[in-house]
Amino acid sequence: MIGPDALLLARERFGLETPEHGPTIPRERLGEFARALFEAGYVYLVYVSAMHHPADKQGETERPARYTVVYRVRDLARGLEFPFRCEVPLGTSVPSLAAVWAGADWQERETFDLVGPVFEGHPDLRRIMLPEDWEGHPLHRDYAINTPHRPWR
Amino acid sequence: MLFDSPVLHALILGLVICSALMGVTSYFIWFERRFAGRMQGRIGPEHVGFKGLLQPIADAFKLLIKEDITPRNADRVLFNLAPLLAVFVALLTLAVLPLASGLVIADLDVGVLFFLAAGAMTVVPTWMAGWGSNNKYALIGGMRAIAQSVAYGVPLVLAALVPVILAGSMNLSEIVAAQAGGHWFAFWPPGPGFLGGILFVLASLAEGNRIPFDIPEAESELVSGISTEYTGMKFGLFYLGEYVHSLVGAALFTTLFLGGFDGPGPDVLALQLFWFLLKTSVVSVLLLWVRWTYVRLRSDQLMTLCWKYLLPSGLGVVVLAAMWVWFSQEAPA
Amino acid sequence: MNALALTPPIAPRANPYLDIESYEGQGDLMVLNMGPQHPSTHGVLRLKLWLDGEVVVKAVPYLGYLHRGVEKLLEKLTYVQSTPIVDKNDYVSSMTNELALVMAFEKLEGCEIPRRARYIRTICAEMQRVASHLLWLGTFALDMGGALGGGTTAFMYCLRERERILDLFEELSGARFHYHMMQVGGVRHDLPAGWDAHLKRVAADISARIPEYEHMLSENVIFRARTRGVGRIDKLLAQELGLSGPNIRACGIDHDLRRSQPYAAYDEIEVRPALATEGDVYARYQVRLAEMRESLRIALALIDGVPAGPIMGRKPIETVNAVKPPAGEAYVAIDSPRGELGAWVVSDGSTKPYRCKLRPPSYHALSALPYLLPGVTIPDVVVILGSLDPIMGEADR
């Protein structure tokens, strides 16, 4: 069940629209929003992930390549859930939420490793799944599965 | 005394007994594997020879043909000497063990002291293996082995003192003689012997690095502990040494607390030998049972057990034994 | 503030980014690498430990040794082809892997699952939970007792029971480990004749044997000494890290997706909570044993009432492009034996997913290690790691 207090928080305090898959928080206010959610009781972090959208055209506007970083948190005591997201163009960093939820630490490392967004303020943003010297982020939509990378493939 | 010469007696008898023990140990390993298999709902060695009886020979052959690897930066002397010393020290304790009346390699008057000293030496090859392997896991295993051996040596000595006090002698043949006629120290006098026996069993399990005291070679934490870097026959010697040590420990327990070769029937050498072997076997099987049932203690829990529980119990047991001897010797005025 | 977070923490939280250069130990610190090849790291996990004597000062886990690029592969394959791939994530409990992903696809498509298929799914998931916990119990005892000792005995007993369940699944789906049982819209294989009698026999036998394991382990002084008070997880930390399943239920937090977000046939049956309060290794052990009992009870309660009917709620799947959900997103989470296994799927209207993120519970459990390991000795490292029940295939994908 989507938490009504979180919806209220997003709509009133932050003035955001709340579609079905959660509000899209602008990156400047992400830390503030996260902290407000944590204080409201949403201490359970379900996941942090991201997807990559290549540059495309929506109608007449050209949209640059961008990442959509998605978050989902829960309040176990009240049985409420709240997803939210943040969109940034490639090259712009997203504030790290590792200081708010301890679990965001490893989640953001994996997201950075496989998808690509850089999390600013993360205590130790290294690759976690792939070797340290891997180049590229495999879950980019234009990263071919058989991209050669010596000496691994 | 063979040929009326203690040297020849010791040499010949020593050779015979040690060879016999090596054979017995290999088949003890076979027995353990079948016993453990039955405990776990499976069979154990079955196919190599009838009921797997050729398994120990196959295993020995396999270990002999394996590549003998010495790590590059290992301390060669320590690394290569350790397995040899491990078996040597385990066999040394045999020298004072009376298998039947007169059938003892060296009937020392300080037999108990000798076997305690030889038993205490088992820490040396373990440490040599741990240090000489140039491997962190082995090092940790070696450190743990030193702590454990030194610690458990104390209750071992105290428990071994009980039959010494009760028999009034350190000569193992005389200790067996004092238990003649069924007055085994484990059951008579009631109290000190039984408790001393339990202490001795626990301490000798710990000295022999058997589960639940096998932290130096804790396979789930330290890959193989002290024997991580050993391959082929050197590993085989460690493995064999461990089993020899446990069999000898069981034999010592039999001698000190269960009457040695004492048993019903006439005083015939063969019958005495039979009783001795039977009792040793029963004790060994009990220790095997313990091994395949319990999980191991953590290193600090193991040390706590020794210093805080076994040591005071050991002192108490020695006092009890001394009191018994004092009161039973006090003649009416 | 969340009522569950208000309980005071057990101890100051360990710092996973401790500055090792400025640490004053009793002696020199030794760096021990419990490398990817180790008898007890439950798969290929590398743990770099800084030790002060035998006490761990800092622990850094390294993952990725079993990373196979599953999420990228799922983008390249169609929805139909993805089931056998996710089977291999949590290779110990394949049914639940498939269930999570397939339910996410069904939510995207919006198709209705027939009751019979839901019952079959629930029974399979619960028996899978029993099989997984049996394997966990065996390897946990093995971690403590070693390969030559009491641990092996417990291991042999548990695997013997697990074989019975695998036989059951082989009769149902044809495979012992990777079943490929779940499909979008229902299940692929129907229950064969006599399967319910077989299940009842297996469940009765295992229920009769669980007290044996308890007797062998719970009442064993050494086992209790090794597990009580070890590896306590603070409630707030557990929630922040996203721990789930037995790991969090052992801390006293009643978070069970089978009850809070019922799926399959869980809305038709009562799932009793298996909780403990201390949050230590012994508590996790007790919770898993209780869950085994509960799962057997649920399976037995459901098998008699499996309704007749179809096992697929949509047209039979005959080609690889048969599933083409409309554009949208869905997140579905189930309660796998390890915890909350979720799948977040984004569809762009084609026959292949646009983005498929799998939320593995083992990954979150492993992220607790840098907080749990400082201050414990090496034997406890192995015990704590075992009690979190990580499966590297799932953590790395």
Side-chain angles (χ1 to χ4, degrees):
Chain A
M1 213 195 109
I2 303 286
D5 58 337
L7 283 174
L8 216 64
L9 179 76
R11 284 186 194 132
E12 316 233 312
R13 221 172 100 183
F14 288 79
L16 300 164
E17 308 248 317
T18 53
E20 188 198 348
H21 295 294
T24 305
I25 324 282
R27 77 170 279 286
E28 302 79 33
R29 303 200 74 187
L30 185 64
E32 195 190 329
F33 186 74
R35 195 151 284 289
L37 270 185
F38 189 84
E39 260 137 49
Y42 291 84
V43 296
Y44 188 92
L45 181 71
V46 184
Y47 62 82
V48 176
S49 187
M51 56 179 159
H52 170 258
H53 303 277
D56 60 1
K57 233 174 139 121
Q58 189 184 34
E60 283 302 316
T61 44
E62 290 256 357
R63 289 191 300 182
R66 63 207 178 281
Y67 296 121
T68 307
V69 185
V70 294
Y71 302 81
R72 188 175 289 257
V73 292
R74 281 205 190 112
D75 181 343
L76 293 183
R78 292 176 293 162
L80 302 171
E81 195 170 278
F82 193 69
F84 58 99
R85 56 189 57 196
C86 181
E87 275 205 21
V88 288
L90 250 63
T92 314
S93 68
V94 180
S96 166
L97 300 182
V100 185
W101 290 283
D105 178 355
W106 273 34
Q107 295 286 296
E108 286 173 355
R109 273 182 72 185
E110 184 197 337
T111 310
F112 161 68
D113 185 9
L114 295 176
V115 189
V118 173
F119 291 91
E120 190 189 313
H122 190 280
D124 182 26
L125 196 65
R126 284 179 291 135
R127 287 189 182 267
I128 193 166
M129 303 288 194
L130 297 169
E132 305 272 329
D133 54 352
W134 195 276
E135 282 153 23
H137 299 278
L139 285 175
H140 276 204
R141 293 295 295 175
D142 42 14
Y143 187 101
I145 268 187
N146 54 3
T147 304
H149 185 99
R150 292 211 161 76
W152 311 102
R153 41 179 27 255
Chain B
M1 180 78 63
L2 282 178
F3 304 119
D4 277 332
S5 156
V7 174
L8 267 179
H9 173 99
L11 264 174
I12 296 174
L13 209 54
L15 219 65
V16 167
I17 293 180
C18 284
S19 323
L21 184 67
M22 292 304 209
V24 164
T25 311
S26 318
Y27 278 89
F28 181 67
I29 296 178
W30 170 85
F31 175 76
E32 172 176 23
R33 287 170 69 170
R34 285 200 70 98
F35 179 77
R38 282 293 170 193
M39 273 184 73
Q40 296 169 1
R42 55 185 180 91
I43 305 177
E46 175 81 2
H47 300 291
V48 186
F50 176 68
K51 294 280 187 209
L53 281 169
L54 290 181
Q55 185 76 44
I57 300 175
D59 280 342
F61 184 61
K62 173 200 81 169
L63 285 171
L64 279 169
I65 62 176
K66 281 204 186 229
E67 183 183 351
D68 189 45
I69 303 176
T70 309
R72 201 187 317 156
N73 291 328
D75 188 327
R76 295 194 157 259
V77 170
L78 291 178
F79 188 77
N80 293 320
L81 204 53
L84 300 173
L85 262 187
V87 178
F88 171 70
V89 165
L91 286 175
L92 200 60
T93 343
L94 265 185
V96 287
L97 217 60
L99 296 162
S101 61
L103 200 68
V104 53
I105 299 174
D107 197 13
L108 295 177
D109 272 331
V110 288
V112 171
L113 183 64
F114 178 81
F115 92 68
L116 284 173
M121 263 173 64
T122 53
V123 68
V124 175
T126 319
W127 168 236
M128 283 165 66
W131 181 263
S133 297
N134 193 35
N135 178 325
K136 280 178 189 164
Y137 289 117
L139 183 68
I140 298 178
M143 292 293 194
R144 287 176 171 184
I146 293 184
Q148 184 177 313
S149 282
V150 166
Y152 278 87
V154 181
L156 187 72
V157 166
L158 290 173
L161 268 183
V162 169
V164 168
I165 293 176
L166 291 176
S169 160
M170 281 211 266
N171 185 327
L172 281 169
S173 303
E174 285 183 30
I175 292 181
V176 172
Q179 297 176 69
H183 300 133
W184 298 349
F185 285 149
F187 306 109
W188 183 261
F194 190 71
L195 295 170
I198 295 178
L199 272 181
F200 189 85
V201 163
L202 285 175
S204 67
L205 271 179
E207 288 287 323
N209 296 339
R210 307 276 293 176
I211 289 186
F213 304 110
D214 76 332
I215 53 172
E217 26 168 274
E219 190 174 315
S220 50
E221 303 146 25
L222 304 178
V223 189
S224 223
I226 46 173
S227 47
T228 312
E229 293 283 354
Y230 285 93
T231 56
M233 209 48 193
K234 287 195 267 198
F235 173 75
L237 283 175
F238 262 118
Y239 197 57
L240 195 72
E242 185 193 313
Y243 280 97
V244 167
H245 199 109
S246 77
L247 275 179
V248 166
L252 273 169
F253 176 76
T254 315
T255 311
L256 289 175
F257 292 92
L258 286 183
F261 50 77
D262 178 56
D267 263 347
V268 173
L269 201 87
L271 193 62
Q272 286 180 334
L273 191 62
F274 170 73
W275 287 123
F276 179 80
L277 291 175
L278 179 70
K279 285 185 234 176
T280 309
S281 314
V282 168
V283 175
S284 304
V285 168
L286 271 172
L287 295 184
L288 268 189
W289 204 337
V290 164
R291 178 187 203 186
W292 289 96
T293 308
Y294 285 105
V295 296
R296 79 170 63 88
L297 282 171
R298 200 172 64 209
S299 26
D300 61 308
Q301 291 167 342
L302 193 141
M303 303 305 282
T304 309
L305 179 68
C306 174
W307 295 117
K308 291 191 192 171
Y309 296 96
L310 294 189
L311 176 59
S313 316
L315 290 171
V317 154
V318 164
V319 166
L320 269 180
M323 275 169 47
W324 172 266
V325 169
W326 175 265
F327 286 120
S328 67
Q329 276 181 352
E330 225 175 30
Chain C
M1 184 59 162
N2 187 325
L4 292 170
L6 281 177
T7 47
I10 293 163
R13 204 179 272 191
N15 180 6
Y17 298 108
L18 183 69
D19 180 14
I20 215 71
E21 306 290 321
S22 59
Y23 180 81
E24 296 276 324
Q26 283 184 343
D28 284 339
L29 294 182
M30 178 163 91
V31 177
L32 184 68
N33 188 38
M34 285 181 79
Q37 291 158 316
H38 188 97
S40 304
T41 47
H42 285 268
V44 276
L45 169 68
R46 179 179 164 209
L47 266 181
K48 194 165 169 187
L49 301 170
W50 277 264
L51 299 169
D52 186 6
E54 267 212 25
V55 174
V56 175
V57 165
K58 182 175 172 183
V60 176
Y62 289 82
L63 305 186
Y65 289 92
L66 205 49
H67 178 68
R68 295 155 290 184
V70 167
E71 293 182 0
K72 183 74 178 178
L73 202 56
L74 289 176
E75 287 177 23
K76 191 138 158 75
L77 299 169
T78 66
Y79 288 97
V80 176
Q81 291 171 315
S82 59
T83 319
I85 304 293
V86 291
D87 258 340
K88 281 86 176 171
N89 275 358
D90 182 354
Y91 36 75
V92 162
S93 66
S94 303
M95 291 282 190
T96 44
N97 288 348
E98 298 174 20
L99 187 59
L101 194 66
V102 151
M103 277 171 63
F105 295 162
E106 285 159 3
K107 192 167 170 190
L108 278 178
E109 232 196 9
C111 63
E112 183 69 28
I113 320 295
R115 257 186 98 215
R116 186 177 173 83
R118 283 194 275 130
Y119 268 66
I120 296 177
R121 282 181 175 184
T122 314
I123 294 170
C124 287
E126 288 306 308
M127 290 311 283
Q128 183 71 80
R129 189 184 307 270
V130 179
S132 171
H133 284 334
L134 280 170
L135 182 73
W136 168 79
L137 188 61
T139 51
F140 186 58
L142 207 59
D143 278 346
M144 280 202 281
L148 294 171
T152 321
T153 311
F155 179 73
M156 293 289 172
Y157 295 155
C158 292
L159 276 250
R160 179 191 59 194
E161 315 313 338
R162 188 178 138 92
E163 285 296 314
R164 308 280 309 271
I165 300 182
L166 293 184
D167 285 341
L168 203 66
F169 283 150
E170 188 181 4
E171 204 182 315
L172 175 63
S173 69
R176 275 158 47 87
F177 286 126
H178 303 301
Y179 314 107
H180 195 174
M181 177 74 183
M182 314 285 175
Q183 281 193 124
V184 178
V187 292
R188 208 167 104 178
H189 303 281
D190 203 347
L191 303 180
W195 199 78
D196 52 346
H198 189 182
L199 179 104
K200 284 184 200 166
R201 271 199 314 272
V202 169
D205 284 344
I206 301 181
S207 308
R209 295 223 166 101
I210 292 181
E212 264 182 41
Y213 309 146
E214 266 193 306
H215 189 71
M216 183 171 170
L217 292 172
S218 310
E219 298 178 21
N220 183 332
V221 161
I222 304 181
F223 183 84
R224 289 166 82 94
R226 286 298 295 273
T227 54
R228 295 191 94 131
V230 172
R232 272 219 168 104
I233 305 182
D234 175 35
K235 275 185 179 172
L236 181 59
L237 181 66
Q239 289 180 81
E240 281 188 40
L241 291 174
L243 290 184
S244 46
N247 294 333
I248 207 173
R249 291 199 274 270
C251 298
I253 299 176
D254 187 10
H255 174 54
D256 191 340
L257 286 159
R258 294 175 289 176
R259 278 182 294 122
S260 56
Q261 300 173 2
Y263 53 94
Y266 287 108
D267 47 0
E268 299 190 34
I269 187 147
E270 182 209 354
V271 177
R272 289 191 297 235
L275 289 176
T277 45
E278 283 94 48
D280 58 7
V281 170
Y282 190 67
R284 296 196 271 279
Y285 158 81
Q286 281 180 312
V287 167
R288 288 196 177 98
L289 270 187
E291 280 190 4
M292 266 203 268
R293 289 203 170 93
E294 186 62 20
S295 295
L296 288 169
R297 188 193 68 84
I298 294 175
L300 282 175
L302 285 177
I303 191 70
D304 280 325
V306 178
I311 53 167
M312 273 293 276
R314 64 192 303 290
K315 318 201 292 297
I317 292 179
E318 269 150 24
T319 63
V320 289
N321 294 323
V323 177
K324 201 171 166 192
E329 286 182 28
Y331 175 72
V332 169
I334 67 161
D335 201 79
S336 89
R338 266 146 214 94
E340 175 179 344
L341 177 64
W344 173 61
V345 187
V346 179
S347 159
D348 59 354
S350 71
T351 55
K352 302 185 183 176
Y354 185 82
R355 171 85 171 98
C356 203
K357 178 201 158 54
L358 301 162
R359 189 254 188 221
S362 300
Y363 189 77
H364 295 256
L366 288 173
S367 67
L369 285 177
Y371 295 94
L372 290 178
L373 294 184
V376 302
T377 53
I378 302 177
D380 282 341
V381 167
V382 170
V383 166
I384 292 174
L385 180 61
S387 75
L388 291 174
D389 199 6
I391 292 288
M392 294 318 292
E394 177 179 65
D396 286 341
R397 279 152 285 149

